Amino acid sequence: MANLNETRRRFLTHFASVGLGGTLAPGILWARMQDAGARKLTAAMVADAMKLSGLEFNEADLKSMTDAANQNLTRYEELRTLHIPNDVSPPFHFSALVPGVEVNRTKMPFRLSAAPAVKRPANLEEAAFWPVRHLAELIRTRQVTSSELTEMYLARLHRYHDKLNNVVTFLDDVGRAEAKRADAEIAAGKYKGPLHGIPWGAKDIISVKGYKTTWGSPAFKEQSFDYDASVVEMLRDAGAVLIAKVTTGELASGDQWFGGQTKSPWNLSQGSSGSSAGPSSATAAGCIGFGIGSETSGSILSPAARCGLAGLRPTFGRVSRYGVMALSWTQDRLGPLCRYAEDCAIVMQAIAKPDGRDMSVSDIPFNWNAQLDVKKLRVGIIQDSFDELTNADAKRNAAQTLDTLRSIGVSKFVPVTVPETPFNLNGISAIGVESAVFFDEPARSGRMKEARGGGRYNGRLVPAVEYLKLQRARMMMMMTLAEATANVDVYVVASNNTGGGEGGRGGGRGGGAATAPDSTAPSAGAPAEPPRPQSPTQRHFNMANLACYPAVNIPNGFSANGSPTNAVFYARPFAEMELLALAKAYQDAAGFHLKRPASLDT
């Protein structure tokens, strides 16, 4: 029976590959072969199936299809014996740029804000919530050593882990060794810059050589790799100190992993959202200086909103994904989760560059100038997002966000209209097909049976022709969005997030109300329902995500339940400098990033 089932799977796969996987044809043909006791297809079988499926082909077409199917049964069997390493992507590389979009290709000097006047607190834990910019000054002025800072953050990670459940693997020895090296370099006058000696945490889909990289799943909880991810190497080169593999939602979805649910430090009854659950929770709790997360569809922005952080989703192609679990080679992005927008710029300066491994990474320089005059920016607004708000706290804080922006010199908000599209935006997401490809080997070995989401089989029902046509539709959508945002540098989108409701599934990469599909799958035997219409805000989220625009979450107040509320600033591709400059200016005026969660010590 096992051999018969394998043969059937190979058979059905071929017809998906020729564009008939979504029709009745493969199943009908398989039944005809079984009825006839045959091991190969005949033209008569194909012709019969095509009639029953409502499809017609001439005799030459039928012969060609029959011959190709019989040949490919053997070819596919050979292909499936080939081991393809995780870091091998398809040889075509997505770009966030469309015709007519201009970007700054000139490398500019990296200009930080004026060095803050800092003084070591009597209790070093008082600095646990400081921005990286301030921590860096403590180290640069040698008021504190990296080893002292590392011990402080390690103590907090261990102390609060039972409450927050945000660490998969503590890297105490790694952190102490890296901190000792940083101290020796600084003592020798070899200070590398503002990340030198700063402790950080890596989302546990990021490979660290010799240590477990579990992807948050019981199916992979003993997995490790013999290489570091590029982002780990780059941060090590910048002098940053890795102290933990922090949690990811299972297979980069939500905030649930094989060890339970990661919690928000603002409300311990709530999940942190996900799937960058650990980097967000640990940063917001003052347990690491910053975290590195990933996003395919909300997995940086959603937990940053829940945890009250400045979380940057960079433009696609800014940061190498080498050594990182893939969900979608055309949507996955790595980015920093920080307390302060300028911290995001500091981290990006170290990691936003080509590595010669991930060929999707652009050589467009990442620039930062903290003195950029935000009064000269063309700031847009999606008014629909403000009009759609239903929560009173969210409404009040959204209005105050605009008032604060006006106070720092934004004299006019340019209306941005979310374009209509003639097709369902969820249908053009590449996650289903591309994740099915990435997880093909473990699915065939039976390993995925232990994982939530199983073998990701839905992607196998998308014919190759339709998949590529959908990506062409995606390009059309990107061009439409580029036209709609052509007259702004940055634009503001309001959010209904108040940290309420159930926190279990937690957004991002497959979970959460902000990013979930617009309809649920019908039960077995039930007729498929047409997708529910999306609001302009939902439509924009999908469009900007699929177009791979940069965005930064910014906390803009608190709800009645004590959880942070937020707004999201967006920019056009590769305009992170303008995006982060406005976010920094807003944070400097509003000050919400200076608030600390009180629930940890109650």
Side-chain angles (χ1 to χ4, degrees):
M1 180 62 70
N3 289 338
L4 183 65
N5 287 338
E6 177 61 22
T7 302
R8 182 178 184 273
R9 283 195 291 271
R10 294 201 307 271
F11 177 88
L12 296 176
T13 300
H14 166 69
F15 279 88
S17 76
V18 297
L20 297 174
T23 72
L24 294 173
I28 294 169
L29 281 166
W30 179 254
R32 293 291 182 268
M33 283 182 67
Q34 295 307 297
D35 290 345
R39 296 183 63 84
K40 287 190 174 183
L41 283 170
T42 67
M45 292 176 187
V46 174
D48 193 19
M50 295 304 101
K51 289 177 183 177
L52 290 171
S53 302
L55 299 170
E56 294 183 3
F57 297 90
N58 62 35
E59 194 169 314
D61 290 334
L62 292 171
K63 184 179 185 305
S64 177
M65 290 171 62
T66 304
D67 290 345
N70 284 323
Q71 291 172 2
N72 283 335
L73 289 177
T74 300
R75 292 172 183 167
Y76 293 146
E77 188 171 2
E78 292 172 352
L79 177 63
R80 288 172 191 142
T81 65
L82 176 65
H83 169 64
I84 303 177
N86 289 335
D87 58 304
V88 176
S89 65
F92 43 84
H93 308 293
F94 181 84
S95 172
L97 297 179
V98 299
V101 173
E102 297 182 358
V103 297
N104 182 5
R105 297 181 181 272
T106 302
K107 179 66 176 175
M108 300 165 56
F110 186 73
R111 293 195 173 117
L112 290 171
S113 58
V118 296
K119 182 178 180 181
R120 175 179 175 145
N123 177 1
L124 190 55
E125 286 202 35
E126 287 299 309
F129 295 91
W130 285 14
V132 168
R133 184 73 183 96
H134 291 64
L135 294 173
E137 277 303 292
L138 275 183
I139 290 178
R140 188 187 68 82
T141 57
R142 304 192 187 185
Q143 297 181 59
V144 68
T145 65
S146 175
S147 294
E148 289 176 303
L149 210 56
T150 296
E151 292 296 342
M152 181 269 287
Y153 277 126
L154 281 172
R156 291 181 64 86
L157 269 179
H158 285 279
R159 184 189 315 150
Y160 295 118
H161 178 64
D162 286 346
K163 289 185 176 183
L164 297 172
N165 196 27
N166 57 14
V167 179
V168 181
T169 304
F170 291 94
L171 299 177
D172 298 40
D173 292 343
V174 173
R176 287 175 177 132
E178 291 189 352
K180 183 177 180 181
R181 182 169 60 249
D183 288 334
E185 291 166 343
I186 293 167
K190 298 178 181 178
Y191 181 67
K192 294 181 176 180
L195 289 181
H196 206 171
I198 303 296
W200 71 285
K203 182 177 179 178
D204 198 35
I205 63 170
I206 299 171
S207 174
V208 175
K209 183 177 181 178
Y211 292 89
K212 292 178 181 179
T213 300
T214 72
W215 300 348
S217 174
F220 300 97
K221 66 180 181 180
E222 300 302 324
Q223 172 179 257
S224 64
F225 301 103
D226 63 354
Y227 56 88
D228 287 318
S230 286
V231 69
V232 172
E233 293 179 346
M234 291 175 179
L235 287 169
R236 184 183 296 130
D237 289 345
V241 175
L242 178 61
I243 63 173
K245 298 293 293 297
V246 286
T247 56
T248 173
E250 184 171 358
L251 301 181
S253 178
D255 54 24
Q256 296 274 1
W257 59 293
F258 66 82
Q261 184 186 36
T262 298
K263 301 293 187 179
S264 164
W266 293 96
N267 184 343
L268 297 178
S269 68
Q270 290 288 329
S272 63
S273 187
S275 64
S276 299
S280 299
S281 173
T283 302
C287 295
I288 51 178
F290 67 93
I292 296 292
S294 67
E295 171 153 348
T296 309
S297 180
S299 282
I300 288 174
L301 297 179
S302 180
R306 180 67 60 84
C307 294
L309 296 174
L312 174 67
R313 178 185 79 191
T315 308
F316 181 93
R318 274 293 193 195
V319 182
S320 171
R321 289 90 44 91
Y322 174 81
V324 180
M325 190 203 91
L327 272 189
S328 170
W329 289 290
T330 65
Q331 291 178 226
D332 292 346
R333 287 143 286 182
L334 294 183
L337 287 137
C338 304
R339 289 178 278 271
Y340 186 47
E342 188 171 24
D343 293 355
C344 293
I346 290 171
V347 176
M348 288 294 289
Q349 170 70 5
I351 65 176
K353 55 189 175 184
D355 66 342
R357 293 161 168 167
D358 181 349
M359 304 311 292
S360 69
V361 179
S362 170
D363 61 0
I364 296 171
F366 177 85
N367 291 318
W368 174 244
N369 179 5
Q371 283 75 47
L372 187 148
D373 186 356
V374 298
K375 296 177 183 178
K376 296 180 179 179
L377 293 176
R378 300 171 301 167
V379 179
I381 184 173
I382 295 184
Q383 186 61 46
D384 286 322
S385 68
F386 288 79
D387 296 341
E388 292 171 15
L389 294 177
T390 56
N391 181 276
D393 295 331
K395 271 182 171 291
R396 181 189 67 249
N397 294 346
Q400 290 178 351
T401 299
L402 299 182
D403 289 341
T404 301
L405 289 171
R406 292 185 185 99
S407 75
I408 60 175
V410 179
S411 59
K412 176 184 177 182
F413 291 99
V414 180
V416 174
T417 301
V418 182
E420 297 283 352
T421 60
F423 43 80
N424 178 7
L425 288 169
N426 284 308
I428 64 176
S429 171
I431 297 175
V433 173
E434 294 180 18
S435 64
V437 174
F438 183 83
F439 289 105
D440 182 66
E441 282 190 48
R444 291 183 184 282
S445 71
R447 195 173 185 181
M448 297 297 287
K449 292 178 181 177
E450 302 175 63
R452 176 164 55 91
R456 311 225 165 194
Y457 299 122
N458 289 349
R460 298 177 184 275
L461 298 178
V462 180
V465 171
E466 270 64 34
Y467 168 74
L468 291 174
K469 189 171 182 179
L470 287 167
Q471 296 313 301
R472 294 175 72 193
R474 180 180 178 184
M475 183 64 166
M476 291 171 61
M477 177 277 295
M478 292 167 62
M479 295 168 71
T480 302
L481 184 61
E483 291 177 5
T485 58
N487 296 320
V488 297
D489 300 307
V490 183
Y491 58 101
V492 184
V493 179
S495 169
N496 245 331
N497 164 63
T498 58
E502 295 299 323
R505 296 195 62 84
R509 278 182 131 171
T515 59
D518 60 353
S519 63
T520 56
S523 59
E529 296 181 1
R532 292 192 293 269
Q534 294 185 320
S535 70
T537 307
Q538 292 171 324
R539 193 166 69 249
H540 169 264
F541 176 89
N542 280 333
M543 294 180 80
N545 181 56
L546 290 166
C548 294
Y549 276 31
V552 62
N553 179 82
I554 293 298
N556 69 347
F558 294 87
S559 63
N561 63 15
S563 293
T565 58
N566 71 295
V568 183
F569 297 173
Y570 287 83
R572 283 156 63 86
F574 298 100
E576 283 89 353
M577 180 170 69
E578 292 80 3
L579 178 68
L580 291 174
L582 186 65
K584 174 187 179 298
Y586 171 81
Q587 285 191 292
D588 287 342
F592 293 113
H593 64 293
L594 302 176
K595 304 293 185 181
R596 305 180 181 187
S599 62
L600 286 176
D601 295 309
T602 56

